[in-house]
Amino acid sequence: MRALRSIAVIAVSLAVWEGVCRLAHVSPAILPPPSQVARRWWDYLASGELPQDAMATLLRVFVGFAIGAGLALPLGLWMGARNGVYEVFNPLVQLLRPIPPIAFIPLAILWFGLGNPPAFFLISLGAFFPVLMNTIAGVRSVDAIYVRAAENLGASSGTLFWRVLFPGAMPSILSGLRVGVGVAFIVVIVAEMIAVNSGLGYRILEAREYFWSDKILAGMISIGVIGLAIDTAMARLNGRLLSWHRGLEHG
């Protein structure tokens, strides 16, 4: 029923959109109707451009996210578990964290030129801080009762970390990874509009140059569908990995 309601909302929205464009005689150059966008999307798919652009975008997302999360996760675990490390690095983190990745575009192009390297840098930067902050918060929010109980039972520092702190922080870490993927997908579209000549972001910018509003919307819808698929996959992965956690809560 939930899926049917969601589909119904989308169908009604498309019908309203189509009706407004037809009845109000809106110029297709400004706002094309969904039927025209659907035809353009099909042409985009049949020509082979859409699969190629989607694969280029996904490659950049996964590589950049892997770099950003791969750096943020161990640093976040270290900062969360060690107060001294946290006090040393936290001022620098809080200084850099509010700066949006988009602000680094000029430096990224200056340092790495054009192509995939600046895109990887920007995407990894976008994914880094959500993963880092959620990992730190997760480790530092583990209930002190569990820590003291493990210490009283003679657990070593390594055992305490891997058996108590890391599992206790897992819900927050997975939330950070999910947010980080979403931010990476946003950043890649901006990076493709500026630093590379392939991908969904580049194709949207190209369509703007030729006033192809229907192709712009077709690209935007493609981004939304791929983003929804990634987020759904992450949510299901989180659900599987945290089934033990929810079981404890409901038990």
Side-chain angles (χ1 to χ4, degrees):
M1 289 300 297
R2 230 177 305 171
L4 288 175
R5 284 196 294 267
S6 298
I7 293 172
V9 169
I10 294 173
V12 170
S13 300
L14 291 175
V16 172
W17 177 6
E18 184 82 25
V20 169
C21 292
R22 299 293 183 184
L23 297 177
H25 302 290
V26 179
S27 171
I30 297 175
L31 181 64
S35 55
Q36 180 178 335
V37 174
R39 287 193 298 270
R40 172 65 82 163
W41 185 88
W42 177 253
D43 293 340
Y44 188 19
L45 176 64
S47 67
E49 279 187 340
L50 176 56
Q52 292 176 0
D53 290 338
M55 289 301 298
T57 296
L58 287 173
L59 174 64
R60 294 183 184 109
V61 168
F62 290 140
V63 172
F65 175 76
I67 295 172
L71 294 173
L73 188 57
L75 179 59
L77 292 171
W78 194 30
M79 290 178 64
R82 305 292 183 183
N83 285 329
V85 176
Y86 178 83
E87 292 173 358
V88 169
F89 284 100
N90 187 57
L92 178 62
V93 169
Q94 298 304 326
L95 175 66
L96 297 176
R97 184 172 64 91
I99 304 174
I102 297 172
F104 286 89
I105 288 176
L107 288 176
I109 295 175
L110 181 64
W111 292 341
F112 303 104
L114 299 176
N116 283 327
F120 291 153
F121 170 75
L122 294 169
I123 295 163
S124 62
L125 192 63
F128 178 82
F129 287 103
V131 177
L132 177 68
M133 299 309 298
N134 276 270
T135 301
I136 294 172
V139 174
R140 293 176 68 87
S141 64
V142 173
D143 198 324
I145 293 177
Y146 299 142
V147 177
R148 286 197 295 269
E151 290 174 340
N152 290 337
L153 292 172
S156 64
S157 58
T159 301
L160 178 65
F161 179 81
W162 289 111
R163 294 297 184 90
V164 179
L165 295 178
F166 185 70
M170 185 61 69
S172 184
I173 292 173
L174 292 177
S175 296
L177 291 173
R178 185 176 178 184
V179 174
V181 168
V183 175
F185 205 80
I186 294 171
V187 175
V188 71
I189 301 302
V190 178
E192 288 177 344
M193 289 181 173
I194 297 171
V196 298
N197 58 358
S198 63
L200 294 171
Y202 169 78
R203 202 64 64 186
I204 290 174
L205 188 65
E206 180 188 56
R208 188 205 67 177
E209 298 295 330
Y210 293 98
F211 299 99
W212 294 337
S213 299
D214 51 358
K215 191 168 185 178
I216 293 174
L217 289 170
M220 292 169 61
I221 291 171
S222 300
I223 293 169
V225 171
I226 295 173
L228 176 62
I230 292 175
D231 186 70
T232 301
M234 289 293 294
R236 291 189 176 184
L237 177 63
N238 288 6
R240 286 183 178 275
L241 294 178
L242 295 180
S243 58
W244 62 271
H245 186 265
R246 291 203 307 271
L248 288 174
E249 287 179 347
H250 294 307

